[in-house]
């Protein structure tokens, strides 16, 4: 271990990023069914705004469990619930903030919501907001839109509605932007 520590310190001193793992590391894509759990809350916020902003996996998420098994091996299990999904979003936001230290909290929220992936069949924005959080897309996102969503409530004939949207290029290149509206209704109703 001493030789390894010396080599890691030398790499760090040279400005080379170092990642260390203890135990075996395995990365596997989890096949999701792309549906919001039946026990999840749905609906608009009191003011009529869209909530949630986005969603994350929250059902049967694999995790380690405290303690050891009878033979001393590490125990694993699964957890479900809002606290799991919230932890995934918080971790995603933390990694994104590390990669974009100049971004404000509202810009990070915009990057996350703007890069979320909505399954093609999912039109119920009151259940899944902008879609499922996606770190890879958030890191590559080139624009930030504030606010992340706009809701005008129930349409009333003859009533004019107006909102200000701030669109900001956070990339190093020139980007062309077009804005479209998408009518997402509860339970996909038209």
């Amino acid at each position: 271990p001493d030789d390894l520590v010396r080599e890691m310190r030398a790499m760090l001193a040279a400005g080379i990023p170092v990642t260390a793992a203890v135990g075996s590391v395995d990365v596997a894509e989890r096949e999701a069914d792309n549906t919001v759990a039946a026990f999840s809350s749905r609906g608009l916020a009191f003011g009529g705004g869209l909530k949630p902003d986005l969603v994350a996996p929250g059902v049967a998420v694999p995790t380690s469990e405290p303690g050891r098994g009878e033979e001393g091996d590490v125990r694993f299990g699964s957890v479900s619930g809002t606290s799991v999904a919230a932890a995934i979003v918080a971790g995603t936001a933390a990694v994104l903030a590390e990669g974009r230290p100049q971004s404000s909290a509202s810009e990070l929220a915009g990057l996350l919501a703007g890069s979320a992936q909505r399954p093609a069949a999912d039109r119920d924005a009151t259940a899944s907001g902008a879609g499922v959080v996606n770190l890879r897309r958030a890191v590559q996102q080139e624009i930030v839109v504030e606010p992340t969503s706009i809701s005008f409530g129930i349409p009333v004939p003859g009533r004019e509605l107006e909102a200000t949207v701030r669109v900001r290029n956070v990339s190093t290149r020139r980007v062309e932007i077009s804005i479209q509206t998408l009518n997402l209704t509860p339970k996909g109703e038209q």
Side-chain angles (χ1 to χ4, degrees):
D2 291 337
D3 291 338
L4 178 61
V5 170
R6 275 192 292 280
E7 186 175 337
M8 288 173 67
R9 285 184 177 160
M11 291 173 73
L12 287 169
I16 301 169
V18 176
T19 301
V22 177
S24 67
V25 175
D26 188 17
V27 176
E29 292 290 327
R30 184 166 178 260
E31 191 64 35
D33 63 3
N34 289 326
T35 59
V36 176
F39 58 78
S40 290
S41 297
R42 288 162 170 75
L44 300 174
F46 287 114
L50 182 62
K51 290 294 175 187
D53 293 323
L54 50 88
V55 294
V59 177
V61 176
T63 185
S64 60
E65 291 186 344
R68 297 274 179 177
E70 291 179 15
E71 297 180 20
D73 52 338
V74 178
R75 297 176 1 173
F76 295 95
S78 65
V79 292
S80 297
T82 304
S83 58
V84 177
I88 290 171
V89 172
T92 303
V95 172
L96 183 59
E98 180 81 17
R100 294 193 183 240
Q102 75 286 359
S103 296
S104 68
S106 62
E107 288 173 339
L108 292 171
L111 289 166
L112 290 172
S115 61
Q117 287 187 286
R118 174 175 296 289
D122 180 12
R123 293 189 56 82
D124 187 358
T126 62
S128 58
V132 180
V133 67
N134 184 315
L135 178 59
R136 180 174 289 139
R137 287 181 56 160
V139 168
Q140 297 169 352
Q141 187 80 355
E142 294 184 299
I143 63 166
V144 173
V145 179
E146 294 178 79
T148 58
S149 67
I150 298 173
S151 176
F152 291 114
I154 299 170
V156 176
R159 186 173 89 186
E160 288 189 29
L161 302 170
E162 185 177 306
T164 300
V165 177
R166 180 176 167 235
V167 179
R168 187 169 149 244
N169 181 356
V170 294
S171 74
T172 57
R173 67 184 192 102
R174 183 182 172 112
V175 294
E176 203 169 296
I177 298 170
S178 66
I179 297 176
Q180 300 174 340
T181 60
L182 181 59
N183 184 23
L184 297 173
T185 58
K187 297 182 184 166
E189 299 165 5
Q190 294 296 328

